[in-house]
Each structure stands twice: as C-alpha cells, then as structure tokens.
Amino acid sequence: MSQRVRVRFAPSPTGPLHIGGVRTALFNYLFAKKHGGDFILRIEDTDQNRYVEGAEEYIINALNWCGLKFDEGPGLQGDFGPYRQSERKHLYKQYAEELIRNGKAYYAFDTAEQLDFHRKNHEANGKTFIYNWHNRLKLDNSLSLTPEEVQKRLDSGEDYVVRFLTAPDKKLHLKDIVRGTIEIDTNVLDDKVLFKGDGMPTYHLANIVDDHLMQITHVIRGEEWLPSLALHQQLYDAFGWNTPEFAHLPLIMKPVGKGKLSKRDGEKMGFPVFPLSWKESQGYREAGYFPEAVVNFLALLGWNPGTEKEIFSLGELVHSFSLERVNKSGARFDPDKTKWYNQQYLQNKANDELGELYAEILKKKSISIATKPKGYVEKVVALIKERAVFVADFWDLSDYFFVAPTSYNEKAAKKQWKEGTPDILNHLVSILEEISDFSSENVETIVKKWIGEQELSFGKVMPPLRLVIVGDMKGPHLFDIIAMIGKEDSIARIQKAILHLA
Ligand code: GLU
C-alpha cells in the first residue's frame, strides 16, 4: 500500500450507537492502526429530520470508552475538516451541478403526490415503480422538459431534486474485499436522489464527496450499505475520481432465530445492545463490563484470527487484524460469551485495581473499611474473584468479610447444627482465644490439632464453623476467612450464632 491509509467511521447521529456500529468503528480503527494510517470520525448529519440531540456526544463518548481514539474528527484539528456534514453544506451543491453539466445527473420536479400516484398505479398492476430508464423520459424532469422550461421552474423556486442518471445496459463489476467481485446489471437500479431543493445533499452524494475530499482509501462499513455500492461506484466514475477499496462487514445476528440483532432481542433476553446507557436502555459500561472485554468480543464477531486464540488486547488485535479474515456470513451474537469475556478480563486484572473498584461499591453501601488493615479489600478480592464475572458480583461473594451474618442458611443450619455443636464451638472459642499468631496457617494447624486430640470428626466442626462465620456454606478456604476477619470478630460470630441457633 503506497498511499497513506485513511479510513473513516461515518455514523449518523440518529440515536445511540448500536454495538454493531461500535464493531464497524473498531474494524476501521484496527485496519488504520495496522497500516499506520488515520482513523477519522465523520458525523453524517445531513438528514435533519432524523437528527437526535445528544447522539453525537454519545458516539464520541462510546468510542472514547472503548479506547478507539480517532485522529481526526469533530473537536479535533485536522487538515480535512470540518468533520460534520452539516458544516460542509456549502460544498455539495457544486458537485451536484457538475454532474448535471456533464450529463450524469438531472433535475426532477415530480411531486410527492405524483410519485405516490405512480407507485400505487404500478402496485395495482402487480409491478413496482422504479424511477429509471423505463420511465424517466415520461416523468417530470430535465430529460423530458425543454431547457427553458427547466430554467423557468428553477427560477420560480419550484421544489426539485437532483437524480443520478444511471447508464442503462451496463454490467458493473463491484469489488469488495470481503465478498469478492459482485456483478450488477444497471438496468435494475433506480435513479437515486443525490441532492434536494432545500440545499441538502442526500447520504449518497455527501458520502462520496467527503470520502473523496478526505482522501479516504478504504471504506469499511456494515453490510446494509452493500446495495448502495453500485451507485457509489458509478458516482466515483462519473466524477472521474479514484474509487476507494470497499469492505462490507457481515451483520451481527440474533442469538436465536433469524435476522439482525435488535434492541428488542436485548430487552427480551436481558443483555445490553448499546455500549453506554441511553435513556432507559442499559449499556455495557453500566452493566459492569470492562471496555477491553467489549472490544475483544466485538472483534471476534465477524473476524477470525485463524487460530484458537480468543483473548486479544487492543494492541494484539491491531497486530493480528486483516480484512481478508473478515467472514462473509453473519456473526451470531452470544450473550453468554460476552460474560465469559468479562470474566476472563476480570480474572486477569490486578487485585489492587479491582480492590479500588470494589472500594467504590463498598462506599456506596456505607461499609466502612477504616478499621480494616491496609490492603484488606484487595486481599478479599484475591480470595473471591475466581467466582465473579463482574465487579458487582463481589459483594454477594464476600459480604461476610465486612459484616457479620445476621441470618443463617436454614437448610444448612438444619443439617449442620447438631445437639453437641454449641459445646464444640464453645470449646473452640477457648482455643481461639489462646492463639496469638492469627495467620490462616497457624490457626488451621492449631484447630486441626485440637480436633485430632478431641477425637472429633472434621464434619462435626468445620461445616458448622463455616455456617456461623459466613452465614452460609459458601466462600473460600475457611481459615483464610477467619484470619482475615480476625480473632475478635471470629469469636464474636461464633458466640452470636450459638445464641441465635440454640
Ligand atoms: N452514515 C452512514 C451510517 O449511518 C454511513 C455509511 C457509510 O459508512 O458509508 O451508517
């Protein structure tokens, strides 16, 4: 690749970014960085009717959260700005006019009512109305009207659009990196609207003009844009511009059944479809996912590394990524796998980092750790994180490290609490009271020795002891817990339970 690689992510600010959109941004980012190129964010906001307040900010926040830093875009300096199409409005008209001058496009004056009439008429005869070579000479446009009439209408301010003049009887050979060459017969295409009388371009014109002016070398976007490729290719040809390379990414499919993953699927099955929360929809961030985990699972939706490796940092993805390894077929979304990814990332995170995150949760729960020794939360995390998928799981897995149980698992109590249990535990208290080195190993050695001397079975001591310390039969190695909560607290818990369970 001799030319500097420049790719763009070009969302329309019509709402929050779906994770499919994040995946598109990610693949653009990976490709750019792999080739030492530029990743550009361009906001395609020409359709004012669909503009949603806050959507652009959301898109930028989502990219930032995922660590997909763009090199050029709104709010950043760049040689190819502005990066919002609404701020480039003045640019597009001349290009529409250039096409008209060169006989590649034409003015059309058909009103919405007229078009509707033709549509209904065709439907009544079991046909579909397509504005193209079939009928364009019979419709209300600059191909069927005299130049004087056209000028008159334009001068009088009559509403118009500019349509692309699709050349008939041509076979287009469209190239796509993912799909290979696609042949299209131009006779099936319609004359798409490029520009509207209100001075605004449509997506197609603005997109091509901007990709050209911004020197985009590769267009990487979702499969839903594949049907537009024929028009886009013809536009590049009509302008006499170099065509960028195209790669259309496979759709992200529903976890079950057919079709594209939708917001409804997430609502039905209880998983996020947005990176960040948007109104009442919870995002991955708020659901407790690490951005690295989200990036990792998105990368493997539609791309395969060609090995069994599943865990990739962003840097590793950049290194391994190639468009040749993007799959043609849709990628089924698996919500369980997203959790698995988060779990993997959580296990690999340093305990001090997790401890800090957990400390925030504890603070919100008004759990004071002021009296605990330094590094206490971190140690708790080390003991319990193995069973956690999210940091938010920590509390249920470790509450007893911070507060004494106020109730005891009934089923376990029935099974473990025998007639002789209070005597055994009372005796144990007197043993614990004598221990000065309260480390896990030392307490374990002494207690086990005492069990042996008393000719007690482990089953008579350990399960009830766990029940009174934890309130349940869960948790890591019991002596680790006892050592962590300390002598005083351990004894207090045993004594309290004896009263409570009597
Ligand atoms: N604005 C289009 C979108 O919202 C961009 C499509 C493209 O990348 O060409 O997805």
Side-chain angles (χ1 to χ4, degrees), residues 95-110 115 129-145 150 154 159-168 189-197 231 235:
Y95 289 100
E97 286 170 352
E98 181 183 329
L99 290 177
I100 295 174
R101 263 200 319 278
N102 298 336
K104 308 283 187 190
Y106 58 92
Y107 292 108
F109 301 97
D110 317 84
L115 293 173
F129 173 70
I130 308 178
Y131 203 121
N132 68 359
W133 61 276
H134 280 105
N135 48 23
R136 57 167 88 100
L137 293 178
K138 287 180 255 158
L139 295 162
D140 208 10
N141 54 47
S142 57
L143 303 172
S144 61
L145 300 166
V150 171
L154 291 175
D159 206 15
Y160 72 90
V161 296
V162 175
R163 285 184 182 270
F164 185 69
L165 180 58
T166 311
L189 301 173
D190 59 340
D191 291 351
K192 281 265 184 317
V193 174
L194 301 177
F195 192 83
K196 290 176 286 177
L231 171 64
L235 279 169

Side-chain angles (χ1 to χ4, degrees), residues 380-449:
V380 170
V381 167
L383 289 171
I384 53 96
K385 75 169 183 184
E386 190 181 294
R387 324 201 91 221
V389 173
F390 300 105
V391 172
D393 297 339
F394 287 175
W395 176 249
D396 278 345
L397 292 169
S398 71
D399 53 351
Y400 51 86
F401 280 101
F402 302 94
V403 285
T406 49
S407 64
Y408 303 89
N409 180 316
E410 259 179 58
K411 238 174 102 190
K414 236 185 221 142
K415 188 159 167 225
Q416 308 298 351
W417 202 261
K418 311 263 160 61
E419 225 189 280
T421 308
D423 283 346
I424 295 173
L425 292 182
N426 270 324
H427 190 185
L428 179 60
V429 166
S430 65
I431 301 294
L432 295 177
E433 270 166 351
E434 295 308 310
I435 304 178
S436 51
D437 166 11
F438 219 71
S439 68
S440 175
E441 300 74 31
N442 195 46
V443 176
E444 179 166 359
T445 311
I446 292 173
V447 171
K448 282 187 173 165
K449 193 166 146 242

Side-chain angles (χ1 to χ4, degrees), residues 16 19 57 64 67 71 110 148 175 201 234 238 266 275-276 300 318 320 335 338 364 409 411 429 452 477 487 491:
I19 50 159
E57 199 190 340
N64 286 339
D71 304 298
D110 317 84
E148 295 72 32
K175 287 205 187 68
Q234 293 179 91
L276 318 176
L300 281 115
V318 167
S320 307
T338 67
K364 278 196 202 121
N409 180 316
K411 238 174 102 190
V429 166
H477 188 54
K487 182 160 141 176
I491 290 173

Side-chain angles (χ1 to χ4, degrees), residues 290 343 345-362 369 375-395 397-402 475-476 480-481 484:
F290 297 116
Q343 189 179 26
Y345 275 86
L346 188 140
Q347 302 313 322
N348 290 328
K349 280 215 186 278
N351 294 332
D352 58 346
E353 189 186 336
L354 293 172
E356 271 170 37
L357 295 173
Y358 190 21
E360 283 167 31
I361 296 181
L362 294 171
I369 48 171
Y376 186 81
V377 179
E378 199 181 313
K379 277 198 195 133
V380 170
V381 167
L383 289 171
I384 53 96
K385 75 169 183 184
E386 190 181 294
R387 324 201 91 221
V389 173
F390 300 105
V391 172
D393 297 339
F394 287 175
W395 176 249
L397 292 169
S398 71
D399 53 351
Y400 51 86
F401 280 101
F402 302 94
D480 287 346
I481 304 174
M484 284 285 285

Side-chain angles (χ1 to χ4, degrees), residues 8 10-12 44 203 207 221 225:
R8 81 312 190 265
S12 299
E44 301 209 325
Y203 152 72
N207 188 269
R221 61 185 175 191
W225 299 102

Side-chain angles (χ1 to χ4, degrees), residues 30-155:
L30 297 177
F31 184 76
K33 296 304 132 189
K34 165 110 193 184
H35 296 284
D38 302 320
F39 171 55
I40 294 141
L41 173 65
R42 183 174 73 223
I43 301 294
E44 301 209 325
D45 57 350
T46 52
D47 190 348
Q48 293 298 321
N49 297 327
R50 295 182 61 217
Y51 182 83
V52 171
E53 197 64 43
E56 179 187 314
E57 199 190 340
Y58 178 97
I59 291 165
I60 293 176
N61 289 343
L63 295 180
N64 286 339
W65 182 66
C66 292
L68 306 179
K69 210 174 142 303
F70 46 93
D71 304 298
E72 294 168 33
L76 288 183
Q77 295 289 339
D79 296 341
F80 299 87
Y83 296 95
R84 266 182 215 106
Q85 287 185 329
S86 58
E87 292 168 16
R88 305 170 64 79
K89 200 179 143 185
H90 58 283
L91 279 169
Y92 306 111
K93 193 170 186 209
Q94 51 178 313
Y95 289 100
E97 286 170 352
E98 181 183 329
L99 290 177
I100 295 174
R101 263 200 319 278
N102 298 336
K104 308 283 187 190
Y106 58 92
Y107 292 108
F109 301 97
D110 317 84
T111 62
E113 292 75 33
Q114 283 170 334
L115 293 173
D116 204 45
F117 170 80
H118 294 308
R119 227 168 269 134
K120 292 215 171 97
N121 220 350
H122 275 69
E123 266 166 36
N125 294 318
K127 291 187 188 146
T128 343
F129 173 70
I130 308 178
Y131 203 121
N132 68 359
W133 61 276
H134 280 105
N135 48 23
R136 57 167 88 100
L137 293 178
K138 287 180 255 158
L139 295 162
D140 208 10
N141 54 47
S142 57
L143 303 172
S144 61
L145 300 166
T146 62
E148 295 72 32
E149 176 65 16
V150 171
Q151 200 52 51
K152 211 173 94 196
R153 291 202 190 190
L154 291 175
D155 291 345

